[in-house]
Every structure is written in C-alpha cells, then in structure tokens.
C-alpha cells in the first residue's frame, strides 16, 4: 500500500473494533478442505497496524463464525457493545464479519442504534491466504471511515472495495468478487481516496430506531415465489403459521393467481409483507390490477407493501416490529416510512 498522509482530524479518534469471523478472519484448514474462521481481532488489526497513523484502536473477538451462522441476538449483543464503547469514550466502531449476511446485520444494527458516532461494518471476499486478499484494505478503510467526523450522523455504514454504503440500501450482489457490494437503489454514499473517506451524500432521514435487547424473537419466514409456484410452501405454513411472513414476490409485487386464495388465508392470520425478488425498487401499490397483482394483494387481501426494502431486510424489520408487539397498523406505518 502506498503511504498516505495522516489526516489531522483523525488524531483524536478512538475506534473500537468488534470481530465476528467471516472470510476476513479465515485461514486454510490443516490438510486442506477450504478456509474456516481462525484469525482473531488482534490478527486483523496486526495486518493494518503500519497504516493506523497513531489512531487509538482497540479490538475484541466477539465470535469467530461464518456469517451464515450469525444470529440476530448476536447482532443485538454487538449493538450493546457498540453503545457501551461509545459511552466509554470511543469515537467510532467497526464490526468485521462474513459478507454473506452483511446486508442484514448492518440493517439490523441501523435499526437498533441511534448513535451519532460512526458504526461501520466490513469484511472480505478473499481470505488472507488468497492472492489479492481484500480484508486489510477494507478494514483500514472502515477504521478510517469510523474515525472521520464526516461520517457522524450518517447511520450504520458498510465500507467495502473503497466504497461507503448506507446500511439501509446495501446488498451483496456477487458471490466472489471484491466488488460484491452495491446499493442498487441509490448507489454508494461516499468513497475512500488515498485513505481519506469522503461522504458525498447522507440519507435524508435516519432509519427509525427500534429497541430490542436480544432474547426470543418472533419467527418471520422469508418465502420466495418462483414462476409456476404450486403453493406447497404457503400451504405448509397455514396449519401452524409463524409470527409473520415476507413474500419475495415477482416484479413489482406479483404472485401466480392460483396462489392468491392461499396467501389471502395466510394474510388473514398473520402479517404478510409483500417484497420484490428483483433486488431494487419499491413494491408498487396501484399499477397492476390482475389477479395476484400488487393491487389485488395489498388493497384486496391485506398484504403489507415492503416499500423499498428487499426481502431479507423486510424480514428483519418485521421481526423487530413483532418483537415489540406492534399491531398491523403500526407495522403498516413502519413499512410506509
Ligand atoms: N463468504 C463469506 C465471507 O465473505 C463467508 C461468511 O459470510 O462468513 O465472509
């Protein structure tokens, strides 16, 4: 890495790093068989220490798992640690983890935290043992973003591949490239140049904060709706429905017409949120009028439009709302928001 001039604004920064595992912390298994979580928070910091420019960085290993095995309760615990770190004098927080669930964990942190101080999530697409490993560059960029006064008040951020994304909009769009993260709806809100974080845009509003300390969470099922879906999964849920369902429907919020009676029965029993499997754009409300269209499902069958949240993010929001005992009106209002 080229040497970069220290930014005087960073000199007073104290950054708390919480490591949860993921590719950024993975090492080859002895005898072969792929990489698994193995490096701890100190190892991660060790790889970027020459570039920390006197920043005061503390690091803690909270978990060491692939992010596909993280729970929402673990993220609530990280939110508590972030709050405590800031209350204890840290000026920013970085969370390192696997990339597979960053779009969900970062959004959950955004819902749980209302800190002014920057909270930045990052990871890596290539393990430290691979050529061109991206973990150190991502971690350094995340630490520098967390140390930047310009990132205050922007909500939880995801820093990856020299881009800064708002947690509310970011998603993983590729299985293996270092450029896997994108915010299809709005684009990145900033970038890193020569080690300097630049926030070009801030979300017009912060994500509303929902209190949840962990513990039992109402079950919310994310249900994909493919072409010619025969309804087996919806039918399987009907006798003993979960607390809520998010449909990952086609296009602007559409399902096969033969599924409508089943989905209507489900929506009469529990909140059913209508999201889109397209990965970008709002669920429409008043454009299409065919059987199984968004008008049929929202106005006619009581489904709740997911707004611009995709399925995985809508599931997180619905779970948090149900954990607070929110009724339909409040759930509707939260998704309207
Ligand atoms: N592929 C993943 C990663 O980027 C594995 C995980 O999410 O833990 O870290």
């Amino acid at each position: 890495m080229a040497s970069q001039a220290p930014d005087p604004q960073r000199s007073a920064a104290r950054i708390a790093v919480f490591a949860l595992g993921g590719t950024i912390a993975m090492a080859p298994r002895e005898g072969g068989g792929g990489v698994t979580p193995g490096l701890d928070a100190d190892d991660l910091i060790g790889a970027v220490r020459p570039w920390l420019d006197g920043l005061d960085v503390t690091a803690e290993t909270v978990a060491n798992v692939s992010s596909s095995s993280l729970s929402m309760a673990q993220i609530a615990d990280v939110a508590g640690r972030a709050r405590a770190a800031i209350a204890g004098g840290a000026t920013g927080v970085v969370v390192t983890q696997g990339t597979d669930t960053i779009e969900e964990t970062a959004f959950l942190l955004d819902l749980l935290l209302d800190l002014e101080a920057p909270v930045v999530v990052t990871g890596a697409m290539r393990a430290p043992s691979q050529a061109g490993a991206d973990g150190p560059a991502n971690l350094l960029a995340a630490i520098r973003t967390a140390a930047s006064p310009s990132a205050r008040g922007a909500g939880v951020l995801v820093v990856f591949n020299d881009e800064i994304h708002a947690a509310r909009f970011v998603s993983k769009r590729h299985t293996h490239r270092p450029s896997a993260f994108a915010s299809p709806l709005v684009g990145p809100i900033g970038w890193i140049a020569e080690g300097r974080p630049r926030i070009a845009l801030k979300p017009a509003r912060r994500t509303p904060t929902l209190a949840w300390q962990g513990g039992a969470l109402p079950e919310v099922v994310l249900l994909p709706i493919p072409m010619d879906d025969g309804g087996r999964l919806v039918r399987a849920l009907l006798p003993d429905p979960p607390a809520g369902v998010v449909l990952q429907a086609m296009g602007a919020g559409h399902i096969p017409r033969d599924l409508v009676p089943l989905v209507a029965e489900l929506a009469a029993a529990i909140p059913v949120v209508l999201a889109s499997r397209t990965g970008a754009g709002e669920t429409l409300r008043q454009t299409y009028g065919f059987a199984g269209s968004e008008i049929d499902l929202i106005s006619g069958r009581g489904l709740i439009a997911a707004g611009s949240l995709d399925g995985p993010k809508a599931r997180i929001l619905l779970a948090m709302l149900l954990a607070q005992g929110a009724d339909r009106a409040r759930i509707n209002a939260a998704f309207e928001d």
Side-chain angles (χ1 to χ4, degrees):
M1 249 177 263
S3 84
Q4 289 140 4
D7 178 342
Q9 283 192 306
R10 291 205 300 262
S11 55
R14 275 177 61 189
I15 307 302
V17 177
F18 299 110
L20 300 176
T23 298
I24 193 169
M26 290 197 191
R29 293 169 64 152
E30 261 178 57
V35 292
T36 55
L39 308 180
D40 64 18
D42 288 332
D43 296 324
L44 302 188
I45 298 302
V48 296
R49 197 166 299 288
W51 296 279
L52 288 181
D53 303 338
L55 287 173
D56 180 358
V57 178
T58 59
E60 194 178 335
T61 307
V62 176
N64 216 338
V65 294
S66 66
S67 72
S68 47
S69 294
L70 284 172
S71 68
M72 294 206 224
Q74 278 174 299
I75 300 307
D77 170 65
V78 170
R81 290 171 192 265
R83 255 183 244 111
I86 299 300
T91 53
V93 169
V94 170
V95 178
T96 64
Q97 65 157 89
T99 56
D100 291 353
T101 58
I102 280 183
E103 61 200 277
E104 286 153 290
T105 59
F107 180 55
L108 179 52
L109 286 170
D110 206 24
L111 286 173
L112 297 175
L113 293 170
D114 63 352
L115 299 169
E116 278 297 294
V119 175
V120 182
V121 186
T122 196
M125 294 299 292
R126 294 181 183 145
S129 52
Q130 290 180 279
D134 52 338
N138 285 341
L139 176 57
L140 186 59
I143 290 172
R144 287 179 167 171
T145 303
S148 171
S150 68
R152 289 181 65 79
V156 173
L157 302 171
V158 171
V159 168
F160 224 93
N161 198 35
D162 278 346
E163 291 181 340
I164 303 172
H165 296 267
R168 163 78 180 68
F169 296 107
V170 74
S171 60
K172 186 175 181 182
R173 312 299 297 168
H174 200 276
T175 54
H176 57 83
R177 285 187 192 147
S179 59
F181 283 85
S183 298
L185 212 49
V186 297
I189 65 163
W191 61 88
I192 318 289
E194 297 178 319
R196 287 183 297 274
R198 302 293 194 199
I199 306 276
L201 310 159
K202 277 191 184 165
R205 281 178 307 141
R206 292 284 295 269
T207 305
T209 309
L210 295 173
W212 182 60
Q213 316 294 337
L217 197 60
E219 185 188 13
V220 177
V221 169
L222 179 60
L223 203 66
I225 306 289
M227 180 186 166
D228 207 14
D229 188 323
R232 178 184 280 261
L233 293 180
V234 183
R235 227 176 273 114
L237 292 177
L238 281 170
D240 181 19
V245 164
V246 175
L247 292 187
Q248 231 168 1
M250 301 158 187
H254 304 153
I255 65 172
R257 64 182 167 209
D258 292 348
L259 233 55
V260 173
L262 291 172
V263 167
E265 196 180 332
L266 197 61
I270 55 165
V272 178
V273 170
L274 186 62
S276 169
R277 67 183 200 181
T278 59
E282 285 193 37
T283 302
L284 295 183
R285 292 154 196 270
Q286 50 187 24
T287 298
Y288 294 100
F290 55 82
S293 68
E294 82 282 358
I295 293 181
D296 184 19
L297 297 172
I298 296 167
S299 305
R301 319 283 174 165
L303 272 73
I304 299 159
S308 59
L309 292 180
D310 63 15
K313 284 184 166 62
R315 174 175 167 267
I316 302 265
L317 178 57
L318 183 55
M320 288 300 123
L321 290 164
L322 290 169
Q324 301 199 320
D327 60 13
R328 291 273 182 132
R330 190 157 161 238
I331 293 170
N332 259 313
F335 278 96
E336 287 283 340
D337 211 16

